[in-house]
Amino acid sequence: MHFIQRQPTSKAPADWFTGDVWWDVIVTGQEPSRMRANLVRFAPGARTNWHSHAVGQTLHITSGIALIGTRDGTVLEAHPGETISCPPHEEHWHGATPNHFMEHLALWETTPDHTPETHWSTPVTTSQYNAPRRRSN
């Protein structure tokens, strides 16, 4: 057992996000682990581009209110303590509400053959971001 050296907080790439997003890499698993975990902080209105993950992604909301959108137009609203599972290859986006910061843990795995695990696409439009929201049951 050992401590993992903490990495500096870094600004997320502007070509993958709209608005200001920062992250802390928590773990980048070493073989045989393929685990990845980041603590991601979104400024009000900030969001990812459309993207998908080869092995899926889990988002655990730690503060603020998260918006998570799917290609069918659904926008889920998730609150602290709630966890969202995104299946493999499902295009989605996630981000903060317009007036508040949001923070989540992003958890995913690399692929067994080390091909890119995330496919990044186009920015989310204003109408997609502002679509009606659905809360969990």
Side-chain angles (χ1 to χ4, degrees), residues 68-110:
I68 303 98
T70 62
R71 281 290 186 187
D72 68 2
T74 300
V75 177
L76 302 175
E77 180 181 301
H79 292 248
E82 293 183 319
T83 303
I84 301 289
S85 176
C86 305
H89 305 290
E90 180 177 42
E91 281 202 317
H92 65 282
W93 61 268
H94 33 102
T97 59
N99 299 314
H100 299 282
F101 284 88
M102 185 274 291
E103 180 177 88
H104 67 49
L105 290 169
L107 310 162
W108 73 103
E109 294 179 75
T110 60

Side-chain angles (χ1 to χ4, degrees), residues 27-44:
V27 65
T28 302
Q30 303 300 309
E31 290 292 340
S33 174
R34 299 187 338 243
M35 179 182 185
R36 301 289 188 262
N38 286 359
L39 178 62
V40 188
R41 296 173 189 88
F42 293 79

Side-chain angles (χ1 to χ4, degrees), residues 48-89:
T48 67
N49 284 4
W50 287 103
H51 65 286
S52 63
H53 301 271
V55 189
Q57 182 182 44
T58 300
L59 304 171
H60 180 77
I61 314 311
T62 58
S63 69
I65 298 171
L67 303 179
I68 303 98
T70 62
R71 281 290 186 187
D72 68 2
T74 300
V75 177
L76 302 175
E77 180 181 301
H79 292 248
E82 293 183 319
T83 303
I84 301 289
S85 176
C86 305
H89 305 290

Side-chain angles (χ1 to χ4, degrees), residues 4-24:
I4 297 172
Q5 184 175 351
R6 187 174 181 182
Q7 298 180 28
T9 298
S10 59
K11 189 162 178 34
D15 45 333
W16 293 350
F17 295 86
T18 297
D20 288 329
V21 178
W22 294 81
W23 62 42
D24 288 298

